[in-house]
Amino acid sequence: MINKEEFRKKIIISSGQIFRRFGFRKTTMDEIARALKIGKSSIYYYFASKEEIFEEVVLYEANVLRNELTTAIKSVESPVDKMRNYVFVRMKAFEKLANYYNAIFDKNLDHFDFIETVREKYDREELAILRLILYDGARKKVFNVSNSEYTALAIQTTLKGLEVPLFWKKKELNIEERLNAILDVLFYGIVK
Amino acid sequence: MINKEEFRKKIIISSGQIFRRFGFRKTTMDEIARALKIGKSSIYYYFASKEEIFEEVVLYEANVLRNELTTAIKSVESPVDKMRNYVFVRMKAFEKLANYYNAIFDKNLDHFDFIETVREKYDREELAILRLILYDGARKKVFNVSNSEYTALAIQTTLKGLEVPLFWKKKELNIEERLNAILDVLFYGIVK
DNA sequence: GAATTATCGACCAATTCATTCGATATTTTT
DNA sequence: AAAAATATCGAATGAATTGGTCGATAATTC
């Protein structure tokens, strides 16, 4: 009916929801199998281990976010709108990310470096995107930035600042109400 | 510093958060102890078993909801406002209840009857409250109900209808957006 | 009908977990 | 300050859970 690769993806998506909800340790292979209505041993035909599934879930989820952000940027023309959209979507994504942080920090620390690598890569990409938007905006004289590199770093840091509560309380953030305030602060002094 | 009964309550509140988040099975005594910064064995000085803690958590949480609802009713005068407040608070409470349903259904089915008893009691009380408000409103001629008993049952059934999704998907309901619609439907044909 | 692909039940070793228990602090009472 | 009562904990345990293996056997493809 469907090929192996597709079924792997099916497992990734399904188990992703469980990992997100319960974290790595508290998610059992039995649960993953039950959710897919297959035998537990069948999973090992597609994946070598629980860890492998989890790592692919993280990778997959990172890609989903990447795509959402790319779409958000492409859907508008002006650099100002691009930046606004990016920040908006990225902030909305935190609510989902919150659950992944639980899953990740719950994990045995042995393979923590894998997550770190994924995150570092994501951060580098983000920085490049921000830099590009800012640079373009400066060129078109809608942004008032002298050094796109530094401003990109500043914006990213603000964005990261929103994540900090996730490390402390395992609750969703109330992004909605802060959204406009933060957007204003971010753009104050940048937009001409 | 504080007496035994107070410390029991502390345990109930603290472990309640964990139960709510992970369910009965996935909550460990170690976690409960760690959250309270005490040794695992110390818990058994206050409670006989994990089950006992859980049951008291359910009881406690039911009381919290009870109080919230009572306050919501007492804070206003007219029967119409009372009814509106009750329905509103009860609906808002679902978001919290959603987590408890997870905790409860996750539990071994052996002691399911305990939960059922608690719920039945709660339902009876709710019915009495609704009936009282309706009866009072009818007497004051602000409600157009001929049989408070039946109307109370109808309203409770609608309220319960909102819970059904909790049995299927383990997600919070988006109460907010349905709120006004449902309030309108509920009161349509009742308020004079 | 042989070869390949996919699924599964039964099993295992390792770990996790709730609970027990004796020892020892800490506080209260006498 | 001794005795009694209250409170805390580390270590141990037996039972249950869990990630993973393996051989058998379907189901599908060639």
Side-chain angles (χ1 to χ4, degrees), chain A residues 14-191:
Chain A
S14 175
S15 67
Q17 296 176 341
I18 308 173
F19 279 129
R20 194 156 60 223
R21 181 160 185 82
F22 294 120
F24 181 79
R25 227 187 306 241
K26 292 188 183 222
T27 296
T28 69
M29 296 300 277
D30 277 292
E31 270 176 316
I32 294 174
R34 206 180 324 131
L36 287 158
K37 296 191 208 311
I38 58 172
K40 177 171 62 160
S41 6
S42 301
I43 299 175
Y44 288 89
Y45 180 68
Y46 298 94
F47 292 92
S49 67
K50 188 182 172 186
E51 300 246 330
E52 189 182 301
I53 301 178
F54 183 73
E55 293 190 352
E56 299 225 19
V57 164
V58 173
L59 248 28
Y60 175 79
E61 214 60 39
N63 262 337
V64 169
L65 179 55
R66 227 184 299 267
N67 289 339
E68 281 174 8
L69 291 172
T70 309
T71 313
I73 292 176
K74 283 187 177 162
S75 68
V76 290
E77 257 308 307
S78 89
V80 179
D81 290 339
K82 277 184 199 296
M83 185 60 88
R84 273 194 174 270
N85 271 13
Y86 183 90
V87 172
F88 184 85
V89 173
R90 162 80 204 258
M91 281 166 75
K92 288 295 288 180
F94 285 164
E95 289 176 280
K96 206 179 172 191
L97 270 180
N99 297 315
Y100 269 102
Y101 270 106
N102 295 334
I104 290 165
F105 289 129
D106 181 44
K107 207 168 166 310
N108 299 324
L109 297 184
D110 319 355
H111 300 75
F112 211 89
D113 46 353
F114 165 76
I115 307 292
E116 220 178 308
T117 309
V118 175
R119 178 62 197 250
E120 276 168 4
K121 189 182 165 211
Y122 172 77
D123 283 352
R124 269 199 308 280
E125 290 173 358
E126 174 169 79
L127 214 49
I129 292 170
L130 293 174
R131 205 188 301 123
L132 215 65
I133 300 175
L134 286 170
Y135 183 75
D136 187 45
R139 208 172 47 83
K140 290 178 178 162
K141 304 215 193 292
V142 290
F143 283 152
N144 187 25
V145 288
S146 56
N147 189 327
S148 303
E149 175 74 27
Y150 283 176
T151 309
L153 268 169
I155 292 177
Q156 188 180 52
T157 306
T158 306
L159 252 20
K160 282 189 178 181
L162 283 170
E163 289 177 48
V164 174
L166 300 181
F167 292 80
W168 299 109
K169 50 169 188 168
K170 303 199 163 191
K171 270 285 211 171
E172 322 89 63
L173 301 170
N174 197 347
I175 302 285
E176 212 66 56
E177 64 181 34
R178 302 204 209 164
L179 196 56
N180 286 313
I182 291 168
L183 276 174
D184 282 348
V185 171
L186 269 179
F187 286 120
Y188 183 81
I190 294 181
V191 179

Side-chain angles (χ1 to χ4, degrees), chain B residues 63-92:
Chain B
N63 262 336
V64 169
L65 179 56
R66 228 185 297 266
N67 290 339
E68 281 175 7
L69 292 172
T70 309
T71 313
I73 292 176
K74 283 188 177 161
S75 68
V76 290
E77 257 308 307
S78 90
V80 179
D81 289 341
K82 277 183 197 298
M83 185 59 90
R84 273 193 173 271
N85 272 13
Y86 183 91
V87 172
F88 185 85
V89 173
R90 162 78 204 260
M91 281 166 75
K92 288 296 287 181

